[in-house]
């Protein structure tokens, strides 16, 4: 039975493990065969294939694509990065705006400790070097949703540098095998989010909501080690999981808590890198993959037809499935970076450098944070494979679905059945049922105890495996009431 | 009563010789009489009277909040005052009523001080004359002093009438004029390149610039964030110390303030003698443009210290000549950045154009800012361009470090306090002052004062003597960072030695109507 992993039409459900055909996505620099191999059979998360099978092009040129990502994650904190106003989604417009957020003259930034901790945690989880001294800068540009006329960011010396993000791509040939891939993390910096502009074309006006202005962001910059949409999507998904596990960001793309910009270029292997374009504000994993692959192909087409690539910014047009040039951002911006004079350098300590007798509320100890990091997804997956003998592919699925791991572990606790059985039931039947009913794990009427009971019945051979499997998804609803052997003494009928 | 020191008035209030309301009304009345000085942009009469009423209750109950309870003070109009218009003397903020108090304002109010009003300045504190604000220039009260007028009558070339009144210096000229004319006992100024010390020298006042990081800047509408400090203008050193004691201290809202470096309340001891003191005289400050009168006074002051047993030595601050250029680059860069927020969107002036956001921004800023501000924004943006940043901004920061190190080296060589002039000359007539543009004037007039801001040190201008023309001349003391108390102690000793005369404005008080008549011809006040 096909794993639900490949089920389409999921309500934006994201799967870290994307099955690919052999020959796709070999990492940068050396695609085998024609571009068609690379693009065809793309990630299962796409609604439909991006392109039909490509015929080999004239000239038989090999192309390599280079993708770099800039990911903005909203920090999960009570208040904003430099002011005390609250961070909340969907509040009435301009109801969460302090004097500082509104850029009233004379107001000054005050750094939020929780945001710094979030940055350190994320940096450690991504194997970064944490800079014990980092600096804040002003990045100037005029825009209605940027009240001060500048954004406070970390351009010269960010809080974390030189890390790595490991994600897993499934090798199609051997089911369940996962090939780990790594993308280097260039840096992580703290910066302010901007407000929101709503363009009201009817009245020729723009409405500004500053609720989001000043919310803390972690900008994670990935080196251009990725080579296609699927790799990018997978890497972003893994980052999402890490952020959610750490609690540093809810990283919900639909709510704008995670935004990705992609820098894309193509070149012939062995030749210098091509001109790159920037594709901005991709707000779902699905569109991210789609947009990147579209843009790669667009560039290849353009170059093969003798055209040239402009160093420009493009946005992804969801309905048309293509990227379009954002004309008004064509002119090169000089951001006139300047040190933020109202914020002294940010100094962090570790066990060796912590001055004796300091108030722990006044300082941040990197080592202490490292010790209190929760178990990261990669470690959890490894543990699941070791502990329960499941396939790596399964461990990915368990972690990908919000709440599924906990459900699984609760079932394990209460049942006598073998872990492999539990794994199979949870991932196939239970998850399948959820997908069909469009439910999240938290909304499931079936409790872990109920499923555990069913599995016990199975285990004691009270019901046959065939019978149990024949219980079609709808009937699982009966599991909300206590089971008794009598209920299974007759062959269950499917109800529709 | 109005001519007394803060301490004396405070004692009088405690003893019930006068009530806060009476005091308040006297000051309000004098403010009205001296309106032609154009020292105040906003007179907060109702607010002040209400505060006086509450202060009176406290005194009646024998529970005044402190030494500042019931004392009339004024605040420069670039400090945010809740519910009271704050304009920075600019069209950009005309009608802007802030919803919060600057920390220093709040501290004064918490001590029961009476806020008489917001004083006039150069637009956004850019200038050294208090002549370039939208509400017109401020007139130096010494223009109407007996001391000056008598000297003028002796001069056959002097014009009669009021057309050649003198500037106060700037940019805190309104605050200086307000204190000098006895309309209040202390006033807040700001000091970025000398804006408190300069008008203090020209108006015969004590102008104190605290160490950077000692007093909160929260609510002070910034000019140069890395150099601005709130300044204090009073008629004597003890008064300045009293106010500093209230204002100093860490503010969680200002991340550049340090934690509790001085003891409070601040009471200055009286130096018995100065034999343990070492005074440094920076040789690079002896410039050809320095008036001979001030040079002479400077020399006599040094001699005074020496004759009283202090060690007086010459020191070198070798990078002094680069200071003004360096200051210009850093100041304009920060100004370009700080002014970026003024776009008419959330507050302040907004133009009528609504074709596009860009057009609106451009028109708003053109209408809202005067040429001085716009000039500095343009320069600053030039220095911050990617291709210029290293050569201008970064270089200037490096030179700034050298200038700051010059001072550190001087102090490390055993010097306690540096003694320098504050200004190149006494106050000049307005008509002469405006012959040169703002930029030229600022570059000239800030020469002795702005290196101190670059280094973040405390400094104070003390009125020393009257010039041959009967106008005040001040000298400047510069101290080590956070040695504000020690600096003021030395200044207090010196003040006692020189016995600077009190300004004689009785004629002014009697003759107000006559002056007001002349005013109608000469006034350039634009206040609506």
């Amino acid at each position: 039975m096909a794993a639900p992993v490949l089920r389409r039409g999921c309500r934006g459900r994201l799967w870290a493990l994307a099955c690919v055909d052999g020959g796709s996505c070999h990492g940068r620099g050396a695609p085998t065969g024609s571009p068609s191999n690379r693009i065809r059979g793309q990630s299962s998360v796409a609604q439909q294939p991006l392109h039909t099978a490509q015929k080999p092009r004239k000239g038989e040129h090999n192309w390599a694509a280079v993708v770099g990502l800039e990911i903005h994650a909203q920090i999960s904190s009570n208040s904003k990065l430099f002011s005390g106003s609250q961070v909340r989604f969907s509040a009435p417009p301009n109801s969460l705006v302090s004097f500082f957020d509104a850029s009233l003259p004379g107001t000054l930034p005050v750094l939020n400790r929780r945001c710094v901790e979030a940055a350190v945690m994320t940096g450690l989880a991504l194997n970064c070097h944490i800079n014990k001294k980092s600096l804040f800068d002003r990045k100037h540009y005029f825009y209605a949703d940027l009240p001060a006329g500048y954004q406070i960011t970390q351009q010269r010396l960010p809080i974390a540098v030189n890390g790595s993000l490991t994600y897993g791509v499934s090798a199609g040939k051997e089911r369940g095998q996962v090939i780990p891939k790594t993308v280097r993390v260039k840096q992580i910096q703290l910066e302010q989010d901007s407000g929101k502009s709503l363009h009201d074309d009817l009245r020729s006006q723009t409405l500004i909501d500053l609720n989001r202005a000043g919310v803390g962001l972690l900008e994670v910059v990935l080196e251009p080690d990725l080579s296609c949409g699927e790799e990018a999507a997978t890497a972003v998904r893994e980052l999402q999981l890490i952020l959610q596990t750490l609690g540093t960001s809810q990283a919900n793309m639909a709510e704008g808590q995670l935004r990705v910009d992609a820098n894309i270029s193509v070149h012939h292997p062995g030749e210098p890198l091509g001109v790159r374009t920037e594709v901005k504000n991709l707000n779902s994993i699905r569109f991210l993959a789609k947009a990147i692959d579209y843009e790669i192909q667009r560039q290849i087409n353009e170059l093969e037809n003798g055209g040239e690539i402009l160093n420009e910014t493009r946005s992804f047009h969801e309905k048309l499935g293509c990227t379009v040039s954002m004309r008004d951002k064509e002119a090169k911006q000089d951001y006139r970076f300047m040190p933020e004079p109202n914020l002294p350098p940010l100094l962090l300590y570790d066990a060796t450098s912590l001055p004796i007798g300091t108030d722990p509320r006044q300082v941040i100890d990197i080592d202490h944070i490292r010790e209190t990091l929760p178990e990261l997804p990669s470690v959890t997956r490894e543990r699941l494979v070791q502990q329960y003998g499941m396939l790596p592919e399964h461990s990915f699925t368990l972690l990908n679905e919000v709440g599924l791991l906990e459900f699984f572990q609760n079932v394990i606790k209460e049942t006598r059945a073998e872990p492999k059985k539990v794994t199979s039931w949870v991932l196939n039947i239970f998850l399948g049922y959820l997908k069909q009913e469009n439910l999240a794990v938290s909304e499931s009427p079936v409790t872990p105890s109920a499923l555990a009971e069913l599995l016990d019945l199975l285990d004691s051979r009270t019901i046959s495996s065939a019978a149990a499997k024949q219980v079609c998804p709808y009937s699982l609803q009966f599991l909300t009431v206590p089971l008794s052997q009598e209920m299974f003494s007759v062959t269950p009928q499917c109800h529709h | 009563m109005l001519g007394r020191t803060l301490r004396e008035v405070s004692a009088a209030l405690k003893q019930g010789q006068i009530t806060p309301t009476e005091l308040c009304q006297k000051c309000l009345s004098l403010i009205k009489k001296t309106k032609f000085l154009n020292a105040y942009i906003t007179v907060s009469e109702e607010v002040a009277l209400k505060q006086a009423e509450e202060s009176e209750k406290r005194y009646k109950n024998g529970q005044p909040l402190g030494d500042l309870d019931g004392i009339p003070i004024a605040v420069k109009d670039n400090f945010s005052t809740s519910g009271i218009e704050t304009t920075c003397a600019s069209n950009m903020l005309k009608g802007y009523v802030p919803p919060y108090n600057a920390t220093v304002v709040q501290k004064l109010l918490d001590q029961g001080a009476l806020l008489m009003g917001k004083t006039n300045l150069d637009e956004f504190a850019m200038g050294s004359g208090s002549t370039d604000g939208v509400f017109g220039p401020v007139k130096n009260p010494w223009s109407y002093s007996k001391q000056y007028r008598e000297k003028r009558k002796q001069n056959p070339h002097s014009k009669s009438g009021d057309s050649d009144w003198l500037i106060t210096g700037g940019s805190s000229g309104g605050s200086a004029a307000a204190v000098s004319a006895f309309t209040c006992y202390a006033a807040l100024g700001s000091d970025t390149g000398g804006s408190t010390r300069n008008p203090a020298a020209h108006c015969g006042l004590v102008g104190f610039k605290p160490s950077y990081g000692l007093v909160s800047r929260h609510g002070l509408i910034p000019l140069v964030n890395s150099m601005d400090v709130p300044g204090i203008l009073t008629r004597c050193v003890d008064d300045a110390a009293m106010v500093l004691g209230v204002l100093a201290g860490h503010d969680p809202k200002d991340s550049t303030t340090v934690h509790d470096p001085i003891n409070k309340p601040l009471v200055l001891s009286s130096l018995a003698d100065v034999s343990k003191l070492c005074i440094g005289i920076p040789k690079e400050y002896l410039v050809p443009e320095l008036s001979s009168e001030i040079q002479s006074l400077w020399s006599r002051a040094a001699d005074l210290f020496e004759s009283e047993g202090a060690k007086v030595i010459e020191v070198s601050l070798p990078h002094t000549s680069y200071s003004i250029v360096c200051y210009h680059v850093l100041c304009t860069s920060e100004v370009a950045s700080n002014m970026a927020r003024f776009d008419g969107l959330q507050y302040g002036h907004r133009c009528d154009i609504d074709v596009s956001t860009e057009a609106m921004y451009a028109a708003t800023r053109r209408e809202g800012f005067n040429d001085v501000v716009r000039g500095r924004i343009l320069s600053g943006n030039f220095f911050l361009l990617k291709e210029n940043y290293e050569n201008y901004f970064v270089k200037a920061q490096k030179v700034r470090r050298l200038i700051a190190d010059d001072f550190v080296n001087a102090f490390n060589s055993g010097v306690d306090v540096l003694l320098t002039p504050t200004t190149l000359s006494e106050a000049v007539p307005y008509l002469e002052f405006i012959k040169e543009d703002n930029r030229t004037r600022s570059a000239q007039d800030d020469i002795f004062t702005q290196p101190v801001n670059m280094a973040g040190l405390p400094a104070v201008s003390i009125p020393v003597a009257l010039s041959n023309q009967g106008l005040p001349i001040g000298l400047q003391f510069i101290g080590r960072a956070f040695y504000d108390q020690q600096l003021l102690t030395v200044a207090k000793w010196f003040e006692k030695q020189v016995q600077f005369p009190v300004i004689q404005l009785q004629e002014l008080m009697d003759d107000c109507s006559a002056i007001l008549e002349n005013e109608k011809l000469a006034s350039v006040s634009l206040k609506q």
Side-chain angles (χ1 to χ4, degrees), chain A residues 97 99-111 137-138 140-150 155-156 199 204-206 208 210 328 332-344 362, chain B residues 80 93 96 98-100 212 216-222 225-226 252-256 259 333-334 336-343 345-347 354 357-358 361 365 380-382 384-387 389 393 397:
Chain A
V97 184
F99 299 149
F100 174 77
D101 302 331
S103 80
L104 290 192
T107 52
L108 300 170
V110 180
L111 185 54
D137 303 291
R138 293 184 181 180
H140 300 85
Y141 61 94
F142 287 105
Y143 205 71
D145 63 17
L146 195 67
Y150 59 84
Q155 188 243 2
R156 288 170 293 158
H199 299 291
S204 292
Q205 61 184 11
T206 303
I208 307 293
L210 294 179
D328 65 350
K332 268 212 152 185
Q333 279 265 32
D334 191 328
Y335 293 112
R336 290 160 283 129
F337 284 98
M338 186 186 91
E340 169 56 68
N342 292 315
L343 291 170
Q362 291 287 330
Chain B
S80 208
L93 289 179
Y96 168 64
Y100 75 100
Y212 183 87
S216 171
R217 288 181 300 110
H218 172 254
L220 167 58
I221 297 171
N225 286 288
S226 64
K253 296 188 188 127
D254 179 352
S255 305
T256 59
H259 285 268
S333 300
E334 280 221 35
S337 178
N338 292 332
M339 296 296 143
R341 66 185 58 209
F342 295 107
D343 52 27
L345 215 49
Q346 284 89 11
Y347 49 82
D354 57 2
T357 312
E358 284 81 10
Y361 273 33
R365 289 163 71 80
N381 277 325
F382 174 78
L384 291 177
L385 287 175
K386 210 164 165 183
E387 65 251 30
Y389 183 71
F393 189 87
Q397 288 282 35

Side-chain angles (χ1 to χ4, degrees), chain B residues 60 87 125 134 153 166 177-178 316 318 327 339 350 391-392 433 438 487 498 524:
Chain B
K60 280 216 175 82
T87 67
V134 293
K153 282 183 201 139
L166 309 156
S316 176
Y327 173 79
M339 296 296 143
R350 188 200 280 213
N391 287 332
Y392 289 95
F433 184 79
N438 183 296
L487 176 70
V498 299
V524 291

Side-chain angles (χ1 to χ4, degrees), chain B residues 204-219:
Chain B
L205 299 173
V206 171
F208 178 65
K209 177 211 170 292
S211 300
Y212 183 87
L214 185 60
V215 178
S216 171
R217 288 181 300 110
H218 172 254

Side-chain angles (χ1 to χ4, degrees), chain B residues 143-218:
Chain B
S143 315
Y144 310 100
S145 67
K146 189 168 174 192
Q147 290 103 324
Y148 178 60
R149 303 208 120 181
E150 277 182 349
K151 298 279 172 149
R152 285 263 313 279
K153 282 183 201 139
Q154 291 163 15
N155 184 348
H157 298 291
S158 72
K159 299 181 206 149
S160 59
D162 186 50
S163 54
D164 46 359
W165 50 269
L166 309 156
I167 58 160
T168 52
S171 60
S172 311
S175 283
V179 175
S180 176
F182 305 108
T183 65
C184 60
Y185 292 88
L188 287 184
S190 64
D191 196 312
T192 307
S195 292
T196 292
R197 292 161 285 158
N198 177 298
H202 286 317
C203 295
L205 299 173
V206 171
F208 178 65
K209 177 211 170 292
S211 300
Y212 183 87
L214 185 60
V215 178
S216 171
R217 288 181 300 110
H218 172 254

